[in-house]
Amino acid sequence: MKVWKGIFLEKINLMVRYFRYTLVLIISLSIFQTVFAQKPKRWTSSDIHSSIKKLNVLGSALYVAAHPDDENTRLISYLANEQKINVAYLSLTRGDGGQNLIGTEIKELLGVLRTQELLAARRTDGGNQMFSRANDFGYSKHPDETLKTWNKEEVLSDVVWAIRKWQPDVIINRFDHRRAGRTHGHHTSSALLSLEAFEMVGDKNVYPDQLQYVDTWQPKRLLYNTSWWRYGGRDAFAKVDKSSMVSVDVGVYYPILGKSNNEIAAESRSMHKCQGFGSLTTRGSQQEYMELVKGDLPNDRTNLFDGIDITWNRVEGGEPIGKLLRSVDDRFNHANPSESVSELIKALKMIKALPDGYWKRVKQAEIKIVIEACMAMYLEVVADDFSATPGQEIELTTEVINRSAVNATLKRIKYLPNGIDTSLNLTLENNQVNKLYKKLTIPTDAPVTNAYWLNEKGTLGMYNVDKQLMRGLPETPRVLKVEFNIEIEGELMKITKDVVYKRRDRVKGEVYRPFEITPPIYANIEQDVFIYADNASQTVNVVLKSGEGNVSGTVELCHPNGWKVEPAKVDFTIKLKGEEKIVPFKLYPPENQDENFIVPLVRIGEKSYTNKLISIEYDHIPPQTLTLDASVKVVKIDLKKEGERIGYLMGAGDKIPENLEQIGYQVDLLEDRDISVDNLKKYDAVMIGIRAYNTVDRIKFYQEKLLKYVENGGTMIVQYNTTGGLPFGSDKIGPYPFKLSRDRVAVEEAEVRFLKPDHEVLNFPNKITQKDFENWVQERGLYFPNEWDERYEAILSANDPGETPKDGGLLVAKYGKGYYIYSGYSWFRELPAGVPGAFRLLTNMLSIGKQAKP
């Protein structure tokens, strides 16, 4: 591939600039989760009173599991809302390896989406969110495989870091460390790592480099959050010895909220929308059980924190603070929360006077938020656009309103990272709007917005995050902030806010989004992969999008040896910010089969750019802007096909239709009106998207028509479905019965054996060999049938190491004049990844029955 001078140094310099800007911010973010670019919280009196009660609780808990959705939202909500505990969920991964029921994001983009869904869940249930550097590489059947792929030592250090940072009195594991090989390897690994870390966190010789930022710590107890499902049923669990368990009733009702804890938990869990975890609300008493794994068992088996002092008495000099805060609690006026400010200011001064320590830092931050809420203080800084480039000038509108009678003076505003101070000495009178305007230039070396864990190339199992202080943060700290210095009843408080952007939407009203720093140009290639089945050229459209106005330069398409591009270079000019310009190139493949990459290279003056823009936008999360490497895969394969037109019924969402179009098929996305016997007969094959029987409500009405299409001579290919949520039993998905199971082949290198080597699907129009199963990604397949009618032919067999053969991954049946195929192999992963053998085998499936008879 062509090499352009300085491009990699540019990326390295970007990282250096990023860490210089964020280092001072991360110290505080290492302890407290910050929510970026959200609509300002509207504090009710009940919210404020609850937060005042929380000021008097000095207890901490850490819930540990492997993925987004693993957490027990009932327990997290109970600890946060009923017991006022500082509780965080440590999800070792960001869920990158799962599926997506609401869009087409997979892999690292799915990880970004699920990260935001976790943060939305925590905003709902009151918890906080933490991560490790582990990458969800897909299903794993044993923790030995998991920990080898993850790099056990690095993930263990992240768990130790999270514990030392959060200083939990109690750690709760979601999974059982004793079930290796009997459940997801990631699940068991999370428990094993938590158990090992419990013994290590108090030792100053363990990961000593961490101790320049945090202290050693020893939690009081470690528990496993067990349940009846662990024992196979409620009756079996009723007989279990519970003498080593703690049990709490998490079904409490909160009159001030008008909802139960279970209802809050259901709302929280329903934030995992891309996993289809929308939950019905439940009410009433519900017990949660936790089995002691390490530490001492509470004498009161209904109180996780029994025997642990979670009052101000645990802090030297803290007893008077607790007494004062109890008085604030007792005398709180729901009609006028600002009456509490004077006493809260006194408490703040007392907290500041304490020796430095974890709880001083935590409660000092909390009480400032409560004081701000009591005064109904509105502090907001809005940019005139949602993005700007380094060196570009923006205008900020700052709104400051003290909606209380408390004496307050805005002494100064400081703009970060520029460090520009504006002295004001402005008296903030009750409910009077103060608007300030400031033009600010983004520093020329400011880093562009991105998910920090994607800034450097990682491995299959690990993200690469070099800086210790960044590890575990849920989001990238924003660069542009404003620090307000406000004197409240004689006490100077510093309050920092992110700069945001907001606009009026004609339907949604006031809409917020994060403020982004972008490069002056993005270069996206319209497709993620280019598949060449012959020597004809394909048009590669490079979509240039400007981050600022009046951008001029050149763009070329860097390509590997053996490939040919026309033209070599194109000049461009874009006048308006946000404008797009499509630059087409002709890309010719080599003669022989090849897998490689192309990347657009844009030059503007002395600088070069090779990044693409990815936007992830859903209503339940803030918009996400990612700046990623713009390389795409190009593949020349030896491929033949029969048939031209495919009907595709979309399921949970995938990119297979566009992949099929790449190799010359016309693909029609089928809608309700298209599913008729007469209309379907025009298709050479009909393909059913992943999990369609789980997610398409009306598919039960289509089934008879689809099978009639097969009977009349059509080919129907059904991709994998899970065992739950089917409109009818899996024995009715096909023309003959089969039974779906949870069988899967998770090792992508697992040997694939040919059970029917002479079958048409392995021989026409492409001769399938073992080479076609090389370089698959993430897995072979999942949810294979394990029982089927004798009229199905099992074509392939594979299994993970040490397991019995799994033969149900590709079943073919003749039905009437046509063919029905059920396949659990992961086409939705392999085709977008440009795996040649996957294209060849799937093309054979689409071509079945079209071989000329002798």
Side-chain angles (χ1 to χ4, degrees):
M1 183 177 285
K2 291 183 179 179
V3 178
W4 50 95
K5 186 176 180 180
I7 195 69
F8 297 112
L9 288 176
E10 185 72 23
K11 292 179 182 290
I12 293 171
N13 289 336
L14 177 66
M15 290 301 299
V16 171
R17 296 196 299 270
Y18 173 78
F19 288 120
R20 187 178 71 201
Y21 276 113
T22 57
L23 185 62
V24 294
L25 302 175
I26 299 168
I27 299 294
S28 59
L29 289 173
S30 296
I31 301 296
F32 313 111
Q33 176 179 314
T34 299
V35 177
F36 301 117
Q38 295 298 312
K39 194 175 227 181
K41 178 175 178 178
R42 270 58 171 177
W43 288 79
T44 67
S45 292
S46 296
D47 294 332
I48 297 170
H49 194 201
S50 179
S51 295
I52 289 173
K53 291 179 180 295
K54 183 179 174 66
L55 289 174
N56 242 343
V57 179
L58 281 66
S60 178
L62 184 66
Y63 199 90
V64 180
H67 311 105
D69 84 5
D70 285 345
E71 79 274 25
N72 185 336
T73 55
R74 293 184 301 271
L75 191 54
I76 290 174
S77 178
Y78 173 82
L79 291 171
N81 296 295
E82 174 66 12
Q83 294 201 303
K84 313 300 182 190
I85 296 295
N86 276 17
V87 56
Y89 173 41
L90 172 59
S91 177
L92 296 190
T93 76
R94 296 176 186 266
D96 326 73
Q99 286 95 50
N100 184 355
L101 297 187
I102 62 174
T104 59
E105 294 88 359
I106 60 173
K107 299 170 61 177
E108 69 275 5
L109 300 184
L110 180 60
V112 173
L113 172 56
R114 289 189 172 183
T115 292
Q116 290 300 318
E117 290 188 334
L118 273 174
L119 289 172
R122 299 293 80 80
R123 288 191 291 272
T124 303
D125 59 35
N128 291 266
Q129 188 60 51
M130 305 170 80
F131 293 96
S132 82
R133 288 169 290 168
N135 187 0
D136 178 3
F137 58 86
Y139 194 87
S140 172
K141 293 183 176 178
H142 200 282
D144 289 350
E145 178 205 5
T146 299
L147 295 174
K148 181 180 179 181
T149 305
W150 273 354
N151 186 327
K152 176 187 174 183
E153 190 64 25
E154 291 186 358
V155 183
L156 179 60
S157 75
D158 289 350
V159 178
V160 170
W161 170 251
I163 296 172
R164 286 174 170 172
K165 193 165 62 170
W166 197 251
Q167 292 196 9
D169 301 299
V170 173
I171 297 176
I172 305 167
N173 289 345
R174 180 52 166 165
F175 299 107
D176 190 345
H177 62 281
R178 298 159 295 196
R179 291 180 60 80
R182 289 180 284 175
T183 184
H184 197 325
H186 297 184
H187 292 170
T188 310
S189 295
S190 70
L192 288 169
L193 291 168
S194 176
L195 178 64
E196 192 168 347
F198 184 87
E199 303 286 357
M200 303 170 70
V201 290
D203 187 343
K204 65 181 181 181
N205 296 312
V206 173
Y207 307 118
D209 291 348
Q210 296 180 0
L211 300 181
Q212 59 185 308
Y213 309 112
V214 293
D215 298 322
T216 58
W217 178 251
Q218 184 55 57
K220 185 76 170 177
R221 51 185 67 116
L222 171 67
L223 304 106
Y224 155 51
N225 185 194
T226 188
S227 182
W228 59 265
W229 45 260
R230 161 68 175 80
Y231 295 89
R234 297 182 187 276
D235 291 341
F237 186 58
K239 300 173 184 177
V240 170
D241 178 11
K242 300 181 180 64
S243 60
S244 62
M245 295 184 188
V246 178
S247 176
V248 296
D249 183 356
V250 298
V252 294
Y253 177 73
Y254 305 121
I256 61 172
L257 300 178
K259 63 180 73 172
S260 69
N261 188 72
N262 289 343
E263 290 172 297
I264 295 173
E267 292 171 1
S268 173
R269 191 160 183 77
S270 294
M271 290 299 171
H272 295 301
K273 297 185 187 301
C274 74
Q275 300 183 72
F277 279 176
S279 300
L280 291 173
T281 57
T282 60
R283 288 150 290 278
S285 176
Q286 184 169 1
Q287 294 296 127
E288 285 290 342
Y289 293 87
M290 283 142 284
E291 177 186 349
L292 184 70
V293 177
K294 288 283 184 178
D296 65 327
L297 190 66
N299 291 325
D300 180 356
R301 306 291 175 80
T302 65
N303 182 2
L304 275 169
F305 289 84
D306 183 50
I308 303 172
D309 190 349
I310 58 173
T311 71
W312 275 99
N313 294 334
R314 74 184 300 172
V315 176
E316 183 181 355
E319 184 178 2
I321 300 172
K323 182 178 180 181
L324 176 57
L325 290 174
R326 285 192 296 274
S327 174
V328 175
D329 179 11
D330 291 340
R331 293 187 290 148
F332 181 75
N333 183 353
H334 282 268
N336 186 9
S338 65
E339 290 181 2
S340 299
V341 170
S342 293
E343 297 295 284
L344 289 171
I345 289 291
K346 291 179 184 177
L348 173 60
K349 292 178 180 179
M350 295 167 70
I351 294 170
K352 283 184 175 180
L354 293 173
D356 189 36
Y358 174 79
W359 284 111
K360 174 184 177 178
R361 296 191 297 273
V362 169
K363 293 303 175 181
Q364 186 171 320
E366 284 183 7
I367 199 169
K368 287 181 179 180
I369 294 171
V370 174
I371 292 169
E372 185 183 346
C374 283
M375 296 174 65
M377 181 73 73
Y378 191 88
L379 303 172
E380 185 175 74
V381 186
V382 178
D384 59 346
D385 201 347
F386 74 89
S387 70
T389 61
Q392 188 175 357
E393 185 179 73
I394 60 171
E395 183 169 336
L396 302 179
T397 300
T398 301
E399 185 174 352
V400 182
I401 311 176
N402 170 22
R403 292 176 289 185
S404 74
V406 175
N407 293 325
T409 303
L410 178 59
K411 306 294 287 185
R412 187 179 67 167
I413 291 178
K414 186 174 184 179
Y415 298 90
L416 304 173
N418 304 59
I420 298 173
D421 278 333
T422 299
S423 295
L424 296 167
N425 211 34
L426 176 66
T427 300
L428 301 178
E429 297 179 0
N430 186 6
N431 210 29
Q432 296 302 302
V433 178
N434 300 280
K435 284 196 174 182
L436 308 167
Y437 303 92
K438 181 75 175 180
K439 289 187 176 180
L440 195 70
T441 300
I442 304 296
T444 56
D445 59 351
V448 299
T449 300
N450 203 25
Y452 72 88
W453 60 95
L454 300 179
N455 279 331
E456 296 184 16
K457 185 175 178 60
T459 65
L460 173 64
M462 296 294 295
Y463 284 118
N464 186 1
V465 182
D466 183 54
K467 298 296 183 182
Q468 180 66 59
L469 285 172
M470 292 295 291
R471 294 175 186 172
L473 294 182
E475 296 184 276
T476 307
R478 296 280 163 175
V479 170
L480 200 58
K481 297 175 176 288
V482 174
E483 179 186 277
F484 298 87
N485 288 257
I486 303 176
E487 186 177 85
I488 302 170
E489 301 212 341
E491 179 68 12
L492 189 65
M493 275 179 41
K494 293 182 180 179
I495 303 172
T496 302
K497 301 290 183 180
D498 290 328
V499 172
V500 298
Y501 172 73
K502 69 178 179 181
R503 64 181 176 84
R504 171 186 170 266
D505 184 277
R506 297 174 73 118
V507 175
K508 299 177 183 178
E510 190 174 58
V511 175
Y512 282 76
R513 67 172 297 162
F515 177 79
E516 320 284 7
I517 298 177
T518 72
I521 196 75
Y522 286 104
N524 288 44
I525 295 178
E526 282 189 326
Q527 297 171 186
D528 294 331
V529 63
F530 287 84
I531 306 297
Y532 287 77
D534 54 34
N535 292 326
S537 69
Q538 291 189 37
T539 298
V540 176
N541 287 325
V542 176
V543 182
L544 301 177
K545 184 168 184 175
S546 61
E548 61 186 28
N550 297 314
V551 179
S552 296
T554 64
V555 57
E556 59 189 281
L557 195 62
C558 300
H559 58 279
N561 291 331
W563 296 72
K564 177 184 168 185
V565 168
E566 294 177 352
K569 185 183 296 185
V570 176
D571 296 327
F572 73 89
T573 297
I574 300 178
K575 292 183 178 181
L576 301 177
K577 176 181 178 180
E579 184 180 354
E580 293 184 354
K581 183 179 182 65
I582 297 177
V583 181
F585 292 89
K586 290 289 185 183
L587 179 64
Y588 296 83
E591 289 291 330
N592 299 321
Q593 186 159 306
D594 186 41
E595 296 180 59
N596 228 303
F597 292 88
I598 57 173
V599 63
L601 171 62
V602 183
R603 300 182 192 272
I604 300 176
E606 298 292 320
K607 293 186 177 181
S608 300
Y609 302 90
T610 62
N611 287 328
K612 64 182 176 182
L613 168 69
I614 299 291
S615 296
I616 301 176
E617 297 192 28
Y618 294 98
D619 286 344
H620 64 298
I621 64 169
Q624 299 298 297
T625 298
L626 304 175
T627 303
L628 303 177
D629 176 37
S631 300
V632 302
K633 191 173 184 180
V634 290
V635 182
K636 170 66 183 301
I637 60 177
D638 178 15
L639 180 72
K640 303 178 183 68
K641 71 178 182 66
E642 293 292 332
E644 300 295 332
R645 195 170 186 182
I646 307 297
Y648 199 94
L649 179 62
M650 191 65 73
D654 58 59
K655 295 186 176 181
I656 290 178
E658 60 191 74
N659 297 141
L660 294 178
E661 289 175 339
Q662 286 254 294
I663 57 174
Y665 285 108
Q666 176 185 334
V667 182
D668 298 338
L669 297 182
L670 301 177
E671 299 181 12
D672 191 73
R673 64 178 179 271
D674 302 318
I675 312 295
S676 69
V677 176
D678 286 340
N679 186 62
L680 293 175
K681 64 184 180 184
K682 66 187 177 187
Y683 295 111
D684 293 293
V686 169
M687 197 166 181
I688 309 300
I690 60 172
R691 297 187 65 179
Y693 285 89
N694 303 125
T695 60
V696 179
D697 290 338
R698 292 185 59 79
I699 200 166
K700 57 180 175 287
F701 305 126
Y702 305 155
Q703 185 70 0
E704 183 178 347
K705 300 170 187 176
L706 290 167
L707 292 180
K708 189 65 176 177
Y709 158 76
V710 178
E711 188 178 6
N712 290 343
T715 296
M716 178 179 174
I717 299 173
V718 178
Q719 297 179 76
Y720 96 97
N721 288 268
T722 63
T723 55
L726 297 171
F728 35 69
S730 64
D731 60 331
K732 292 183 174 60
I733 289 178
Y736 314 118
F738 62 80
K739 182 179 179 181
L740 291 178
S741 74
R742 298 183 67 86
D743 287 351
R744 66 173 72 211
V745 181
V747 177
E748 57 268 34
E749 301 91 358
E751 178 192 7
V752 178
R753 299 172 293 276
F754 297 173
L755 300 176
K756 301 281 186 179
D758 296 328
H759 197 282
E760 181 181 355
V761 83
L762 296 178
N763 292 278
F764 177 80
N766 304 288
K767 177 66 175 178
I768 303 301
T769 69
Q770 288 297 328
K771 187 174 178 61
D772 290 302
F773 293 95
E774 294 177 0
N775 301 319
W776 281 45
V777 298
Q778 187 160 327
E779 63 199 356
R780 291 295 190 198
L782 63 170
Y783 291 95
F784 289 180
N786 61 357
E787 297 178 19
W788 52 87
D789 187 280
E790 61 183 10
R791 286 167 285 189
Y792 288 104
E793 293 184 274
I795 307 299
L796 301 175
S797 178
N799 56 270
D800 286 325
E803 293 195 353
T804 58
K806 304 297 182 285
D807 298 347
L810 181 57
L811 301 179
V812 180
K814 191 79 169 67
Y815 180 63
K817 298 177 183 179
Y819 289 87
Y820 176 93
I821 300 176
Y822 185 90
S823 178
Y825 282 87
S826 298
W827 312 111
F828 74 103
R829 296 196 190 282
E830 310 313 320
L831 267 60
V835 177
F839 276 92
R840 284 165 49 83
L841 179 53
L842 183 58
T843 300
N844 280 13
M845 293 160 57
L846 292 167
S847 303
I848 194 169
K850 295 178 174 61
Q851 186 172 14
K853 304 302 180 187

